[in-house]
Each structure stands twice: as C-alpha cells, then as structure tokens.
Amino acid sequence: DQQVKQNSPSLSVQEGRISILNCDYTNSMFDYFLWYKKYPAEGPTFLISISSIKDKNEDGRFTVFLNKSAKHLSLHIVPSQPGDSAVYFCAASASSGNTPLVFGKGTRLSVIA
Amino acid sequence: DVKVTQSSRYLVKRTGEKVFLECVQDMDHENMFWYRQDPGLGLRLIYFSYDVKMKEKGDIPEGYSVSREKKERFSLILESASTNQTSMYLCASSFSGEEDTQYFGPGTRLTVL
C-alpha cells in the first residue's frame, strides 16, 4: 500500500504560469516532507522541505504548502521556466523512528515555451 | 557541499555476472541507501545502512546484497545479474536526525544483457 501518492504522472504548463504539483500521504506519523527534482540520467536533487510544525515554506520561485488535516502537500513553482521540466518526487519521513524516506512515484513536469 | 559519488555512470554486464556498485560520500553521514528507479515505479529502496557493518532490507532486496565496511562507503552487490535488474541505481546518504534530508549521487545506469 502506497503511503505517499502522487496521483498525476504528468503535468504540462506554459512558461511563466504557475505549476502546482500535488502529493497525498496516509501515515499520520509523517512529520517531515521533501520535494526532489530529477533530470534524466542524473540523481535526484533536493529542492525544498517542510516540517509538520509549519504550513508553508518558501524558497525563491518554489513554495511548499502542507495541509496536515487533509494529509496533503503541494509544490508551487512561480513563474515556471523551461529548465523546470523534470520529474518531481515527493517524500516523507517520521522522525519518531529511524526509518527511511518514503517516496511517491513522481510527476513529470513539462514547461512549454 | 554534500558530495555523493558512484563508481560508474554507465555499466553493461552479462547475465550471471557478479556486479559491484560502489558509493562514497564525503559528509560523514551515518545513513546510506541504495535505490533503483524504473519508469512508472518511482524510487524503490533496496537496502539501507545506519552504521558501519549494519544493513537493513528495503522494499526489494531480493537478488541484491550490500556491504558497509567503512562509514563513507556503501556497496551494492548483484550476486548473479539478471536482465530484470537492468535499471538506474541511485545511492543516497543522510545524517541521523529528525530532518533527515537525503542527498543523492548521480546514478549508475546498469544494463544486463
């Protein structure tokens, strides 16, 4: 059973518009959430994270929103650029135990010029 | 700056060969991980290690083993490579702690013929 779900395998957005990538989780013990970006033939790179004590974290064009009651988080990219085209993975962990990150299956974002 | 390196970017092996994939990190991280990434399946955890000489099975350990003799090095071993082990292999490392951001290497694209 998938504990972290990214229900959209792909997303297309025009350059300059907002990209919104969504992620849902089922384990209420998760309290730390991360987004990774992956280009083909490269390893994932850490993008942004959020702790469960916050509901928003911002870093430049990237903002992550956390809705704990809905067990939902989203990544907003504004404005989207062609270089943002990549696969984005959502991940979650529970700090109470020494357990690895749990990853979603990824969403492929295409930003069209 | 965290650096995780993997011994090869591309590797071609024959069915039945023993394959070693090496990973080295230079940040004194306690934790190290091996994943494989396949289209539509996301990142799947093979094995991980929280300390030298310790190992834990991930979600798909069958057909693999690991070795961690030194803190900075984590090796993935395919005892007898098979065609269904053709994949992108990703190594990651992290500190132990509540916010355990993992940092990934560039990946090894393994093809088993």
Side-chain angles (χ1 to χ4, degrees), chain B residues 61-75:
Chain B
E62 296 79 18
Y64 303 94
S65 62
V66 290
S67 172
R68 192 161 181 208
E69 296 296 318
K70 293 185 177 182
K71 190 175 185 180
E72 68 271 17
R73 187 179 297 269
F74 193 35
S75 303

Side-chain angles (χ1 to χ4, degrees), chain A residues 14-113:
Chain A
Q14 275 207 303
E15 182 179 7
R17 307 294 285 265
I18 184 171
S19 295
I20 301 176
L21 294 97
N22 294 304
C23 179
D24 296 295
Y25 62 96
T26 57
N27 189 339
S28 57
M29 299 299 292
F30 288 151
D31 55 7
Y32 184 58
F33 304 90
L34 309 91
W35 284 94
Y36 286 84
K37 174 179 177 179
K38 186 181 184 301
Y39 292 120
E42 293 184 13
T45 54
F46 169 68
L47 199 55
I48 193 168
S49 62
I50 188 166
S51 161
S52 60
I53 61 172
K54 295 183 176 180
D55 54 18
K56 177 183 173 181
N57 189 26
E58 197 170 348
D59 184 3
R61 296 186 297 114
F62 302 92
T63 303
V64 56
F65 295 91
L66 175 62
N67 182 335
K68 282 174 290 187
S69 60
K71 294 192 179 71
H72 177 83
L73 64 154
S74 60
L75 175 68
H76 292 210
I77 307 172
V78 184
S80 302
Q81 299 173 354
D84 296 329
S85 297
V87 177
Y88 289 79
F89 290 100
C90 169
S93 74
S95 60
S96 56
N98 209 4
T99 54
L101 291 178
V102 180
F103 285 85
K105 292 188 176 181
T107 296
R108 180 178 301 279
L109 173 66
S110 300
V111 180
I112 305 157

Side-chain angles (χ1 to χ4, degrees), chain B residues 4-28:
Chain B
V4 180
T5 56
Q6 294 183 229
S7 50
S8 306
R9 293 299 302 273
Y10 300 94
L11 208 52
V12 179
K13 295 292 182 181
R14 296 212 174 270
T15 302
E17 279 192 80
K18 191 168 186 175
V19 182
F20 292 87
L21 302 181
E22 305 284 344
C23 175
V24 177
Q25 50 93 5
D26 66 358
M27 283 302 292
D28 203 34

